[in-house]
Every structure is written in C-alpha cells, then in structure tokens.
C-alpha cells in the first residue's frame, strides 16, 4: 500500500457539497500542490482534522473551486495512513475535474471499499466493524442502522474477544504445563474450566440464534398478500404504502402479476408482494399469475390472507387458509369493513384482523400483530449477526465447542478436548479478521461503494 488512492466519496448527483478523499503517502504533498489556504501557509502545516478555507487550483494554476480542506496524519486517521479530504461545491463536473488533476499528479482511483480495507489492514478496525461500515450505509431500518453502529463501535469484537480470550487462557495453561514440566506451574485440570467452556458455548449459541432476526433486519421480511380475486389485496397494499402502487378496480383479476415494494411497519421492514387472485381459471395468462402467487406464498416468511368481508366464504378460501397455515408466519385480514360485513369469523387458528383500506380502520391493529410476530431479539445493539459470513464462522465455532464438551463428558483426554476448542478459536479469528484469508477480505470489500 505504498501508493496514494483518490475517489469521490459523495454521490454522482448535483448536491450542495461534494467530497474528494485521498489516502496514502502523497496525500499531503498533493494538497500542497493543488490547495492554497487563505492563510498563506502550506496545507501540510495545518493541524489534523481542522477545516481550512482556501482556493483549489488545477495543475496549470487555474482556479477550480473555493472550498475547504482537512488532513489527518497516519496512523491516527481513518485508514491509518496520511489522508486528506476536499469539501468542494457539489458539482459533478468540478469533482471529476479535481479527481483528474490528482490522477495527473500520480494518485490512482480507489477500488470499491479500499479506504475501509486499508483501515482494516492497518489495524484501525477489525473485520466485523469494517463490514458494519457498509451495513450502516445500506441500512433501510433504524434497528439495522443501530445494530451496524454498535458493530462499528466494537460491540461484536468485544463479545467475540471475551469468548476467544477465555478459550486462549485454557489452551495456554495446558500447553505451559506440557511444554515446561519442570516449572512451578499449577497443574492443569480440565474440569476446573467447565464453567468457562459452558459460558463460551452459551455465548456462541446466543450469537447464532440472533442471525435469523438479523437476516430479516438486513433484507426485510418476505411477505405475500394473497386471496381470491377482488378480495381487496391491492387496496390493502396501497393503504399500507400510503400511495396508489397497484391498480384497483371492481373487476376481478385486475392484478395478474406480482407487485413488490418495501414497507416499514413500526420496527419491522416488509418486502411486501401483492399477488394475483388465487383461483381456478382457464385463462392462460391469469393461470401464470396464479402460479406465481402460489410460489410467492411458498417463499414468504409471512403470508397475509385477505378475505372479502362483503361476501360469504367458500371452499377455495378454506383451502387457501390451510395453505397459509403451513407458512412460518401467517395472519388473516378481513377487508372492506367500511361496507356491510357479511362474513362469519373464519375457521382458523391464525390471527384475524378486520380492516378498511378506505378509512384506514384496523391498519394499526394489523401493524401491531405483525410486530408481535417478529419481536426484536433481546441483544445489545451490535451483537446481532446480520451476514452469512459471520454466521458461518460462529456456526463452525459452535460445532467445535459442542464437540469439545461432548469429548469432555465422554472422558476424553484434555488434548482431544483442546483440539476442538482451538478449532473454535480459529473460526472466531476468521470472524474478527484475526486469521482471515486475503481472498475473503477481497470479496467482503467488493460490496462497498467507491470512496468508502
């Protein structure tokens, strides 16, 4: 990492402010070449993290912008290297021109996530915190953002480090006794460490259990709105969204394909899918829509069955309710409560909510019922696993810890038990980046935006 990288750290649209970021050994000399503080001093003579007002020039000495600049010297910077940021007016043309001047002077364009990757490689943050940078940028719910902020502050690292350190203490004691038999070291008795092993196992189980909720926090809960034609499915979608996303008519079969939207309901984010009415039909196009509706039901974590409150139930609806009951979570919405309700309570154990998509009656009750189905895990912010890489590493660590305790219960010798605990330590090292391979880190940072 002997070169200097540069990138536009803000978006490509016109904005009030645009930021160009640099990191590497030439960051300060490049600023001295292009940026001239109004004070008359060289930019490299300014204090770290102080905003300096001045003129920004191109290589030929023509004025590009009047802006602000700040520098941070390594190792006390975001990347651990000398860094600089230009806070320009947010014209994409100006920002691109600034970047071109930096390239002329020897900087190269940063790869996606390269600033944060350098921070990780230079020891400024561990891997779960680095991943949290991308998570907090991509967050679509406040709970997910708070969890990412917790990971960025080191909550996950502290949780894992506590488990890792306890296992390291056990292993180091065993190897000290083994390697230095003549030293005055307390005898190693594996049974004395039973409580620490049990605690490590419980901590790993708690982490892995958080992944199912963390995954839903990250991507949203797949939810399908299903029902017979003209039951009020599209009206419910529009009412929940607060705008007319789906076409609504009194003609049955208006919706012939799935319509997907993300929606925030209280503390829950739904990936909501409005589907075609499920019924027997000879229309080829409509039949394709029904097949897609059934697939949406099968793929959903939550199925919302909409029943028309203005008509009596029939065998098709009973079959639909039986299918929905097989989903991980399901509930029934009786629609059109603003009209005369003719329907009796459906024969189902699923929760039932009566709503009007016209007046909004019952929507709050529907929101509360969905929130009840998907409660937030009782874990501090930052201690919820949200990506598959982290979960896979914790899963391997957990398997090794279970094997260690099984071996201990079976009367195996300490070396067999500790072989398993050291496998768990290795998996935890991959989680935090202590022992992760370079190809894995490359894949992790490829999902970042350029300039971060």
């Amino acid at each position: 990492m002997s070169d200097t990288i540069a990138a536009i750290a803000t978006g490509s649209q016109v904005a009030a402010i645009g930021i160009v970021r640099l990191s590497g050994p030439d960051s300060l000399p490049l600023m001295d070449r292009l940026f001239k503080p109004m004070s008359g001093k060289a930019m490299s003579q300014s204090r770290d993290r102080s905003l300096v007002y001045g003129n920004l020039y191109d290589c030929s000495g023509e004025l590009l912008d009047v802006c602000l600049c700040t520098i941070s010297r390594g190792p006390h910077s975001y990347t651990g290297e000398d860094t600089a940021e230009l806070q320009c007016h947010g014209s994409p043309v100006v920002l691109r021109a600034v970047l071109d001047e930096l390239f002329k002077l020897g900087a190269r364009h940063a790869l996606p996530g390269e600033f944060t990757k350098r921070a990780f490689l230079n020891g400024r943050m561990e891997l779960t915190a680095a991943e949290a940078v991308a998570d907090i940028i991509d967050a679509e719910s406040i709970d997910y953002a708070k969890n990412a902020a917790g990971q960025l502050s080191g909550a996950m690292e502290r949780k894992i480090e506590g488990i890792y350190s306890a296992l390291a203490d056990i292993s180091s004691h065993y190897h000290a006794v083994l390697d230095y038999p003549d030293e005055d070291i307390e005898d190693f008795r594996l049974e004395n460490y039973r409580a620490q092993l049990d605690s490590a196992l419980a901590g790993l189980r708690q982490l892995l259990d958080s992944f199912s909720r963390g995954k839903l926090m990250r991507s949203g809960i797949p939810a399908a709105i299903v029902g017979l034609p003209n039951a009020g499915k599209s009206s419910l979608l529009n009412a929940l969204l607060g705008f007319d996303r789906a076409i609504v008519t009194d003609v049955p079969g208006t919706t012939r394909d799935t319509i997907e939207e993300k929606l925030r309901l209280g503390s829950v984010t739904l990936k909501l899918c409005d589907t075609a009415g499920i019924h027997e039909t000879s229309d080829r196009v409509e039949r394709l829509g029904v097949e897609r509706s059934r697939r949406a039901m099968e793929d959903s974590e939550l199925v919302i069955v909409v029943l028309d409150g203005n008509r009596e139930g029939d065998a098709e609806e009973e079959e639909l309710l039986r299918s929905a009951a097989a989903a991980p979570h399901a509930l029934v919405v009786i629609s059109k409560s603003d009209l005369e309700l003719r329907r009796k309570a459906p024969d189902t154990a699923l929760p039932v909510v009566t709503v009007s998509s016209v007046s909004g009656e019952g929507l709050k009750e529907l929101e509360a019922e969905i929130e009840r189905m998907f409660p937030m895990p009782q874990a501090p912010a930052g201690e919820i696993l949200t990506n598959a890489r982290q979960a896979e590493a914790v899963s391997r660590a957990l398997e090794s810890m279970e094997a260690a305790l099984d071996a201990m219960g079976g009367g195996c010798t300490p070396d067999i038990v500790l072989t398993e605990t050291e496998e768990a330590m290795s998996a935890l090292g991959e989680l935090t980046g202590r022992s992760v391979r370079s190809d894995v880190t490359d894949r992790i940072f490829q999902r970042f935006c350029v300039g971060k």
Side-chain angles (χ1 to χ4, degrees):
M1 295 185 292
S2 60
D3 54 353
T4 297
I5 57 174
I8 299 170
T10 43
S12 59
Q13 302 299 314
V14 175
I17 297 172
I19 296 175
V20 177
R21 173 176 291 170
L22 296 91
S23 181
D26 293 332
S27 295
L28 273 57
L30 288 177
M31 288 301 93
D32 283 344
R33 287 284 304 273
L34 300 181
F35 184 79
K36 306 300 179 184
M38 295 297 186
S39 66
K41 295 181 180 180
M43 188 61 207
S44 58
Q45 295 178 7
S46 66
R47 292 181 301 166
D48 283 7
R49 292 171 291 280
S50 295
L51 279 173
V52 177
Y53 181 57
N55 293 326
L56 181 62
Y57 297 92
D58 64 17
C59 292
S60 63
E62 292 190 33
L63 186 65
L64 281 175
D65 199 0
V66 179
C67 61
L68 298 170
C69 182
T70 182
I71 61 172
S72 293
R73 295 170 179 84
H76 306 296
S77 67
Y78 179 78
T79 63
E81 306 170 330
D82 288 350
T83 63
E85 284 190 0
L86 289 162
Q87 297 188 13
C88 305
H89 292 92
S91 162
V93 174
V94 171
L95 297 176
R96 183 68 228 184
V98 173
L99 208 55
D100 288 342
E101 297 304 312
L102 292 170
F103 295 158
K104 289 177 187 177
L105 295 174
R108 70 164 173 82
H109 203 292
L111 299 173
E114 190 168 5
F115 290 92
T116 304
K117 183 178 181 180
R118 290 189 175 202
F120 165 67
L121 296 175
N122 288 325
R124 294 294 292 166
M125 62 175 67
E126 50 80 44
L127 198 53
T128 55
E131 289 175 300
V133 173
D135 288 343
I136 202 166
I137 291 171
D138 295 338
E140 295 186 2
S141 73
I142 191 60
D143 294 323
Y144 188 67
K146 286 179 178 178
N147 189 68
Q151 289 196 0
L152 185 56
S153 71
M156 182 67 72
E157 179 187 12
R158 291 188 291 273
K159 176 87 171 179
I160 295 300
E161 190 58 34
I163 298 172
Y164 187 98
S165 180
L167 299 181
D169 286 345
I170 300 171
S171 182
S172 62
H173 185 188
Y174 173 76
H175 287 292
V177 172
L178 189 67
D179 295 340
Y180 303 100
D182 297 330
E183 298 292 330
D184 185 20
I185 301 173
E186 182 184 354
D187 288 344
F188 181 84
R189 298 183 185 280
L190 188 59
E191 189 59 38
N192 292 344
Y193 289 105
R194 163 71 75 171
Q196 285 175 256
L197 293 171
D198 286 340
S199 177
L201 182 69
L204 291 171
R205 281 178 175 160
Q206 183 185 42
L207 268 178
L208 194 59
D209 288 345
S210 73
F211 179 55
S212 58
R213 183 66 175 103
K215 188 166 54 174
L216 296 178
M217 282 172 55
R218 180 189 185 95
S219 305
I221 298 164
I225 302 176
V226 301
L228 301 188
N230 209 31
K233 302 181 298 299
S234 296
S235 295
L236 178 62
L237 174 71
N238 291 342
L240 290 172
L241 291 174
F243 64 91
D244 289 342
R245 173 63 178 86
I247 297 173
V248 176
T249 73
D250 57 2
V251 178
T254 302
T255 303
R256 294 198 168 198
D257 201 351
T258 55
I259 298 173
E260 296 186 2
E261 286 286 344
K262 272 198 174 181
L263 168 68
R264 177 80 173 170
L265 282 182
S267 63
V268 177
T269 300
L270 299 181
K271 288 170 61 178
L272 205 54
C273 178
D274 181 25
T275 66
I278 297 177
H279 68 123
E280 295 298 326
T281 176
S282 59
D283 185 294
R284 181 169 173 269
V285 176
E286 198 172 6
R287 193 163 60 247
L288 289 173
V290 172
E291 290 172 3
R292 290 191 178 188
S293 299
R294 295 190 184 281
R295 284 200 300 272
M297 281 185 68
E298 294 169 1
D299 295 339
S300 291
E301 183 74 18
L302 169 65
V303 173
I304 302 172
V305 182
V306 180
L307 303 181
D308 187 346
N310 202 30
R311 62 183 291 268
E312 296 291 339
D314 56 26
E316 279 190 313
E317 287 186 345
E318 292 176 7
E319 175 60 32
L320 187 58
L321 289 170
R322 283 193 291 271
S323 298
H329 299 86
L331 58 82
V332 178
V333 169
I334 297 178
S335 66
K336 307 179 184 179
S337 66
D338 51 303
L339 303 176
E340 180 185 356
L341 288 178
R342 301 177 182 175
R343 172 177 299 279
K344 297 178 182 178
D347 183 17
T348 179
L350 298 176
V352 179
V353 181
T354 301
V355 307
S356 167
S357 298
V358 175
S359 68
E361 178 189 356
L363 294 181
K364 286 293 184 183
E365 289 78 5
L366 175 59
E367 177 182 317
E369 188 61 45
I370 293 173
E371 283 196 285
R372 186 191 63 77
M373 290 180 172
F374 299 96
M376 280 295 295
Q378 298 303 305
E383 294 186 10
I384 300 173
L385 292 175
T386 54
N387 74 53
R389 187 198 73 84
Q390 296 174 358
E392 192 272 337
V394 172
S395 179
R396 283 190 286 114
L398 180 59
E399 288 176 7
S400 295
M401 286 305 305
E402 289 173 339
L405 284 164
D406 286 345
M408 188 174 175
C412 293
T413 56
D415 60 310
I416 294 176
V417 176
L418 290 175
T419 296
E420 293 295 346
T421 65
E422 287 168 4
E423 285 293 321
M425 290 170 63
S426 177
L428 294 178
E430 291 180 31
L431 177 65
T432 60
R434 187 190 295 261
S435 58
V436 72
R437 301 192 317 270
S438 61
D439 61 321
V440 174
T441 59
D442 287 344
R443 285 199 298 272
I444 289 170
F445 291 105
Q446 280 171 1
R447 78 181 182 95
F448 282 57
C449 57
V450 174
K452 193 57 186 171

